[in-house]
Amino acid sequence: MKLNPQELEKIASLTLENYNQRADDFWQGTRDHDVDQNIAAFLQAIEGEPPFTILDFGCGPGRDLKAFAGLGHLAVGLEGATRFADMACAHSDCEVWQQDFLKLDLPDRHFDGVFANAALFHVPSQELPRVLRELHATLKPRGVLFSSNPHGQNEEGWNRGRYGAFYDLETWRGYVSAAGFAELSHYYRPAGLPCERQPWLASVWRRLG
């Protein structure tokens, strides 16, 4: 069933409000997560010599944004939740753009890479093709998109006060490929665990065209 503009607005506002209300608990629960595997997979795929210009899409309180800046890259955060955007700016000392994922305003061909860690699964499936095309457009030619999402069997809806879509690998591949990307690699996380204990699907893509 197609979502109308009012329903999309409700999805975005309620999901963001949920994050705003639990921003401090979220920060305490995630600030020490080890995402070195994701950062390394992303940076290794970017062509050329660093420093790279990076968009941390859905940067949350700024953990990964600070890591990119600490490595010498020119990192910009993008975050929809007001409290997260403020926290990310203070924590990382980087520029942070507060933007709703469904109302993006991004520069063309600007970034070497877009790092979307635990973010794109909040985009309703009917809007995902458009959002992926917008991320494609903000990348430089042959730029890199990294995504990590909780995977599933293509179910979609509300979960603990937030909206999410949980794709299997083939469905996710279909969406991203259709937006003009070529897959470079994928893996499940956390590393070293049985598949039933790896809830995250990470994938690395190169912009075509």
Side-chain angles (χ1 to χ4, degrees):
M1 184 175 65
K2 184 174 177 60
L3 298 166
N4 63 41
Q6 293 75 28
E7 290 169 326
L8 291 172
E9 181 69 29
K10 181 179 179 181
I11 284 170
S13 63
L14 291 181
T15 299
L16 292 174
E17 182 57 28
N18 182 278
Y19 277 122
N20 279 323
Q21 289 177 354
R22 56 188 297 268
D24 292 328
D25 289 341
F26 184 91
W27 179 229
Q28 292 303 320
T30 62
R31 64 186 303 170
D32 295 324
H33 282 186
D34 181 2
V35 292
D36 287 350
Q37 181 185 18
N38 292 349
I39 290 175
F42 171 61
L43 294 177
Q44 288 168 6
I46 300 177
E47 298 176 340
E49 293 297 321
F52 302 127
T53 302
I54 292 169
L55 178 66
D56 188 350
F57 182 86
C59 65
R63 178 198 62 209
D64 303 337
L65 191 59
K66 183 175 182 178
F68 287 125
L71 292 170
H73 302 293
L74 307 175
V76 175
L78 186 148
E79 175 56 50
T82 304
R83 290 204 61 205
F84 279 172
D86 292 342
M87 293 165 74
C89 188
H91 180 66
S92 68
D93 201 29
C94 293
E95 184 177 2
V96 178
W97 300 340
Q98 187 179 344
Q99 294 187 24
D100 183 334
F101 292 176
L102 302 184
K103 300 176 183 177
L104 297 174
D105 182 14
L106 301 174
D108 288 340
R109 299 190 173 204
H110 183 77
F111 294 101
D112 296 299
V114 172
F115 186 77
N117 190 69
L120 284 170
F121 75 101
H122 285 310
V123 177
S125 60
Q126 77 175 46
E127 301 300 303
L128 184 59
R130 174 178 61 85
V131 171
L132 288 170
R133 289 194 302 269
E134 290 171 341
L135 296 182
H136 182 279
T138 202
L139 282 167
K140 297 175 184 176
R142 297 189 59 78
V144 170
L145 170 66
F146 173 89
S147 176
S148 179
N149 295 311
H151 62 90
Q153 299 301 317
N154 306 313
E155 61 269 34
E156 181 173 359
W158 292 97
N159 182 26
R160 294 184 296 177
R162 301 188 297 271
Y163 193 90
F166 307 94
Y167 304 108
D168 61 23
L169 175 60
E170 290 308 312
T171 301
W172 180 245
R173 278 174 167 163
Y175 277 112
V176 188
S177 297
F181 291 93
E183 184 180 350
L184 300 178
S185 65
H186 76 272
Y187 53 90
Y188 294 91
R189 280 182 46 83
L193 294 178
C195 60
E196 64 271 14
R197 294 173 59 195
Q198 292 179 308
W200 295 91
L201 169 61
S203 54
V204 187
W205 304 81
R206 189 172 313 286
R207 170 184 159 150
L208 301 175

